[in-house]
Structures are given as C-alpha cells and as structure tokens.
Amino acid sequence: MIPLIDIKAQNACLEAELLAACQAVIGSGAYILGEPVQAFERELGAFLGTPVMGVSSGTDALLLALMTLCIGPGDEVICPSFTFFSTAAAVARLGAKPVFVDSCPYCFCLDPTKVKELVNRRTKAIIPVHLFGQAADMQAIMDIARRHGLWVIEDVAQALGAQVEGQMAGTLGHFGTFSFYPTKNLSAFGDAGALTVQDPELEKKAQALRAHGAYKRYHHEYLGGNFRMDTLQAALLSVKLKYLKQHNKERLQQAARYQQAFEPLAGCYTPLLSASCGTSRMPVPQEAEILLPTLHPGRSSVWSLYTLQVLTGQRDALATALRNTGIATDVYYPLGLHAQPCFRQERLPHLPTVESLCAKVLSLPLYPGMTSQPQETVIQGLKEVMGQGDVVPLDPLSDSDFVKC
Ligand SMILES: Cc1ncc(COP(=O)(O)O)c(C=O)c1O
C-alpha cells in the first residue's frame, strides 16, 4: 500500500544524527526546557525571522496565546469550521465562544469576506488557519483586525515555511502557533509545538504562563499551566529543522508533478485564482469532475497535503477504487467543527462551503522521501480510475529533480 504520509521515509536517512542528539540529552540528565530548547528556539527564530518560544504542542500554543490575552467567558473568537479540532477547542476550553466562519472553496482557508458580518462587541480575536500548507489571506484578515481592534492568532500548525508576499506565516499576526506533531512538515517524535508573540510584554507573559504563571520560581503571578517543551524533542527538532527547506522543496516538486500529470486529463480542472478568497477568475466548467488544488497569487504553500475536490458526488467511491489498487487516501475533514456535537449551538450556522468541502475533499499521498516510482503509481491509479490510463503526462519530472537528504 502506498501510504498517505510515510514518516519513517524522512527519518531513516537522519538516524545517525538523531541518535547522537538523543544520546547527548540522555547523558545530560536535564529533560525539561534547558539549552537544547533555547538552541531550537534560536534556530527556528532565525528561520522565521522572529523570536520563538518552544511549547508542549500546537494545541497548547493556541491555549497559551488565548490565555495571554485573558480570553474567557463572554468573549467570542472567530475561527474556521474547516480545520483541525484544536483551533476551536482551545477557545471553548477557556469558556469563550468559537464563532465559525465559512471557508474559501479554492484555498480551504477561512474566507475574510465572511468575517465582517460576525464581528460584534464581544469579538476579541480571529484565528486564521493556514490550511493544508497554503497561507491564508493575511492582508485582508489584518485589515479587518485593525479596523475592529481585534487580535490575530495565526494557526500555522500545517504551514511552517509558507509565505504571504515573501513574509513567513506566523509572523504577520500578533501570535503564531505551530505544531510539530509527527505528521507535520517539521515533525517531532511525540508532541511539541511553538509560539511566536510580536509584542515583547505579551511574550514575557506567555513565557510565565508556559511554566505555571511564574516569572520567579514558586511565585505565581497567573494561573498558567505546564506548556513546557521536552529537551529531547527540542534536540531532535534541531536536527530535523536543518532539512526543513529540503523537505518543503520536495513537497513542492511532488505537488508540481501531480499537477503536471493531472492537468491534461479530461474532467480535471485547475481554477484560475485572484488574490482574494472565494472567487475564481474563470467559472469552473460544467464538465469538471475533479478540482485540482492551486494557489492564490502572493501566497505560497508548503503542501502539507495535496487535496483534490471530487465534484461528481463520487468521492468515497474514488477513494475505495484507489485503495483497491494499493493507494491510500484520506479525508481532511469529513465534518466541519460547527457541526461537531461538542460545539453544536442552538442554531447551526449556515456554512455552505464548509459543507461542500467536507463532501468533496480527498488527499493523495505526498511526503518527503516519496520518489517518482510510488508517485507514478498514484498518478497511473487515478488515471485508470478515471478511465484515462493511456494519457501520457507532459514532460514528466525525473528523480534527479527530487532533493535527497
Ligand atoms: C490546524 C491545526 N491546529 C492545531 C493543531 C494541534 O497541534 P498538536 O497536535 O500539536 O496539538 C493541529 C494538529 O494536528 C492542526 O492541524
């Protein structure tokens, strides 16, 4: 079976370096925070161009950002419904209300044109999520935030290295939250995350909240938590961070290869996007069966997922047919957060794009270390399922185009 993501493939060739980093930490006798965490914070800070704080997970980074802003009962936070659970759960766990906004049908991120109507005097913040690797429309989101005096917490769990007009996602809003869950672009060997805070005073407060709300040992200014990063995870992440650019480049090349192979197929269509969300410069043709993922101008993607939209109502049948030929796929996400039992409100918000995406999305295998052979099998598999096994892609890429670690 060709897996959707093969974590072992990217770690195998780093094994010697990873084991040496482990041994150094084990021998040090210090396992929470410490110099390896500070070193990782410096290195990731240099990559992003802003100071970074290592934390225990992406979920805890979100919680920490919201706690730093004292968000709680009576407050509302606008966030997408089409995202991973943590984005809204962090809001609800603090007693505030997540207010769900519809998504862009092309980039999957929250649609800023739908945000304004949700803002009221209780609204404190917006959490844009840079979904599946592509940066959200931060210019529009920051404009709305400035106009209404709102905080912006960027959820960068899926998009470390994505950019908006050359600026890194996670450095455009007031906070950036990152996850190093094992399937992410920069992946740990367990749970780990990071937080960026643009305001130095708020950054100090977040530092205190990370360790039980104490600036000074055993003197607790705030009701914080244990959001500390493990030393071992930091040491391993420092090794993997050196390869992040290469791994993101491989992802980009694999996405380009899919695009090049699928575009000539009858029924596959790539929308021509303008800078703002929600609109394609050309209407999607009636005969389109599969919408290929693509980018809004000015916003890059680090392709954490390569996600098609199956427009024929046959998404699950397509997934089954691919599985039967040995190709794994997955659905991120089958149900919007607004419809999850734990978030259900009296009146279900009307989010037509989220509902449509949940019924249509299908992600194909893509991961660092995936060579041309398994990718060719996926390409051939999709072509055959579409009854076009004989269509030859234009100028296929060779393995020498792929970066090796
Ligand atoms: C968009 C998004 N936000 C938050 C998280 C939470 O990160 P973690 O699993 O590190 O807590 C994830 C992880 O899956 C995610 O994809």
Side-chain angles (χ1 to χ4, degrees):
M1 180 71 70
I2 297 172
L4 187 79
I5 298 167
D6 182 353
I7 305 170
K8 281 202 288 191
Q10 62 172 271
N11 291 332
C13 53
L14 308 179
E15 199 171 300
E17 270 186 273
L18 292 167
L19 287 174
C22 273
Q23 266 171 348
V25 175
I26 291 167
S28 76
Y31 307 123
I32 303 284
L33 296 175
E35 172 48 30
V37 173
Q38 287 167 16
F40 172 66
E41 288 172 341
R42 281 194 300 277
E43 291 152 10
L44 185 60
F47 177 83
L48 288 171
T50 201
V52 168
M53 192 185 308
V55 298
S56 35
S57 70
T59 304
D60 288 345
L62 284 159
L63 212 49
L64 201 45
L66 293 160
M67 286 170 76
T68 304
L69 295 171
C70 297
I71 284 175
D75 295 333
E76 294 187 0
V77 176
I78 296 172
C79 62
S81 164
F82 194 67
T83 175
F84 181 65
F85 177 70
S86 296
T87 313
V91 175
R93 279 172 63 186
L94 294 174
K97 181 180 170 189
V99 174
F100 295 108
V101 63
D102 214 353
S103 294
C104 169
Y106 304 111
C107 73
F108 312 108
C109 299
L110 73 71
D111 183 345
T113 64
K114 308 280 168 58
V115 167
K116 216 176 91 190
E117 65 209 57
L118 301 173
V119 176
N120 62 45
R121 61 187 173 77
R122 290 180 295 278
T123 312
K124 292 291 177 311
I126 311 174
I127 310 183
V129 181
H130 305 287
L131 208 67
F132 303 162
Q134 181 169 175
D137 187 355
M138 286 307 296
Q139 278 161 349
I141 292 162
M142 292 312 289
D143 276 353
I144 297 168
R146 268 189 291 274
R147 237 175 294 132
H148 297 278
L150 305 176
W151 296 101
V152 175
I153 301 165
E154 294 176 73
D155 183 339
V156 203
Q158 301 185 8
L160 175 57
Q163 300 186 359
V164 180
E165 301 291 356
Q167 201 178 331
M168 288 283 185
T171 69
L172 296 124
H174 304 100
F175 294 80
T177 67
F178 299 81
S179 166
F180 309 123
Y181 183 81
T183 56
K184 303 299 188 210
N185 288 42
L186 177 63
S187 62
F189 293 76
D191 282 312
L195 179 69
T196 56
V197 187
Q198 295 307 322
D199 180 287
E201 284 308 308
L202 291 178
E203 194 200 8
K204 271 193 228 144
K205 184 176 175 188
Q207 293 261 12
L209 286 166
R210 176 174 71 168
H212 301 295
Y215 287 109
K216 205 167 108 193
R217 203 163 166 235
Y218 301 131
H219 291 77
H220 302 273
E221 194 79 22
Y222 315 106
L223 204 54
N226 172 4
F227 302 127
R228 299 172 305 218
M229 180 179 251
D230 289 351
T231 316
L232 200 55
Q233 296 301 344
L236 293 167
L237 283 165
S238 281
V239 172
K240 295 199 68 179
L241 182 58
K242 290 189 277 177
Y243 299 91
L244 177 68
K245 279 189 186 156
Q246 284 185 29
H247 287 163
N248 280 350
K249 194 169 167 192
E250 280 189 53
R251 289 174 182 275
L252 188 70
Q253 287 171 329
Q254 288 160 12
R257 175 183 273 210
Y258 275 145
Q259 215 72 10
Q260 202 173 24
F262 298 148
E263 261 172 0
L265 300 184
C268 282
Y269 180 74
T270 308
L272 190 60
L273 302 185
S274 52
S276 52
C277 279
T279 47
S280 165
R281 280 155 63 194
M282 305 259 279
V284 175
Q286 285 282 310
E287 62 277 13
E289 294 171 24
I290 288 183
L291 219 52
L292 301 174
T294 188
L295 307 181
H296 288 281
R299 299 195 247 151
S300 74
S301 176
V302 288
W303 298 98
S304 61
L305 287 171
Y306 183 88
T307 302
L308 309 171
Q309 290 185 59
V310 183
L311 307 178
T312 54
Q314 299 294 310
R315 188 262 317 270
D316 295 344
L318 177 63
T320 306
L322 289 171
R323 171 157 290 274
N324 291 342
T325 61
I327 298 161
T329 60
D330 213 341
V331 173
Y332 299 93
Y333 298 93
L335 186 64
L337 296 185
H338 69 290
Q340 298 285 350
C342 69
F343 292 128
R344 268 180 107 136
Q345 293 147 14
E346 264 162 50
R347 227 163 28 92
L348 213 58
H350 180 54
L351 304 178
T353 303
V354 173
E355 273 147 35
S356 158
L357 290 174
C358 290
K360 290 175 184 159
V361 288
L362 188 68
S363 299
L364 298 185
L366 183 145
Y367 50 86
M370 186 189 200
T371 55
S372 60
Q373 211 238 327
Q375 205 181 359
E376 215 40 72
T377 307
V378 178
I379 291 167
Q380 204 51 35
L382 186 75
K383 282 186 192 169
E384 269 157 29
V385 171
M386 291 182 78
Q388 300 178 60
D390 51 347
V391 177
V392 181
L394 308 165
D395 185 24
L397 296 170
S398 78
D399 259 354
S400 59
D401 295 309
F402 287 72
V403 182
K404 299 285 180 329
C405 61

